[in-house]
Structures are given as structure tokens and as C-alpha cells.
Amino acid sequence: MVKTYHYRTDGNKKLSSHFKVSEFRCSLYDEIKIDLDLIDILERLYDKLKCSKIIITSGYRTPKHDKAVGGTGNGYHTKGQAADINAYHKVNGKEERYHGSVIVCALQELGWFHGIGYISGAAVHIDTRT
């Protein structure tokens, strides 16, 4: 289920233990759409990989912004159904990023049958397409 939030009034609202509305914001815009199924899989991924943090590098995008970053203007990000992420964990007290392949495999092991895309290095795209 996709919900619409507003940065001014909902930006600090917690969506789950590790994520809040503002993390999915398209810079400079007040409206933020977020699919709650995305939050669920991100929390499950957080637990599975014992993450120290997951950074949303791109969440909701306006159609204009989506086109500006090379998208079609009507993809899953514009519907609040996608996030690009980097996941981190601690190794000998030092925070390190997981490689994208580790994240992709963990999502598959969790039974995520929606969209998974390896972007590069440590970056992964997740969406809730059917």
C-alpha cells in the first residue's frame, strides 16, 4: 500500500525501527510517496544482514526529477514503489558497505519476488512491482 506523506509535517515520522519519512524524500519537494511493503522488506533485510545502517540513496522521485536522473518519468520511483540503497555493517568495529551482490542474494533468500536490480558496487535497486 502506497501512502503519501509531506516533508513539512511528516518528515520526522518513523515508518519502522530504522526508517523515517524524510529518508525517501525527493530533494526540494514536500510530497513523499512510500510503499509500506518497501519498508517491510528493508526491515527484514536489515535484520538478515545485521546491518548497522541502510542508506536510501534514492526513494520517491517526482516525474521531473526522475527524467533528470535518466529515468522515464513514470517508473517505480515516481509511484513511491522503489528505493536505491546501500547497506552497511560493522567489521572489527569499522563500518563497511556490503557489496551489492550480497544484498541481492539476501533479498532472494528472504523470498523477495518483486524487483531487484544490481546498480553497481554496493548499490541496489528494490521495488514492489508485481
Side-chain angles (χ1 to χ4, degrees), residues 6-24:
H6 295 276
Y7 180 72
R8 285 180 308 207
T9 55
D10 304 315
N12 287 322
K13 180 178 180 162
K14 288 189 73 111
L15 298 165
S16 66
S17 298
H18 300 102
F19 300 98
K20 62 183 183 175
V21 169
S22 62
E23 294 177 80
F24 294 83

Side-chain angles (χ1 to χ4, degrees), residues 53-110:
K53 67 182 174 185
I54 292 178
I55 303 243
I56 310 300
T57 58
S58 184
Y60 172 68
R61 297 179 190 160
T62 64
K64 181 179 177 180
H65 181 73
D66 192 56
K67 284 182 181 178
V69 298
T72 63
N74 64 356
Y76 291 99
H77 283 277
T78 66
K79 299 170 185 159
Q81 295 178 288
D84 299 339
I85 67 164
N86 286 310
Y88 295 78
H89 63 127
K90 299 269 181 149
V91 178
N92 298 323
K94 182 181 174 197
E95 201 160 58
E96 293 186 10
R97 277 194 296 185
Y98 278 108
H99 191 273
S101 61
V102 173
I103 299 167
V104 167
C105 288
L107 287 164
Q108 290 173 334
E109 289 169 9
L110 286 167

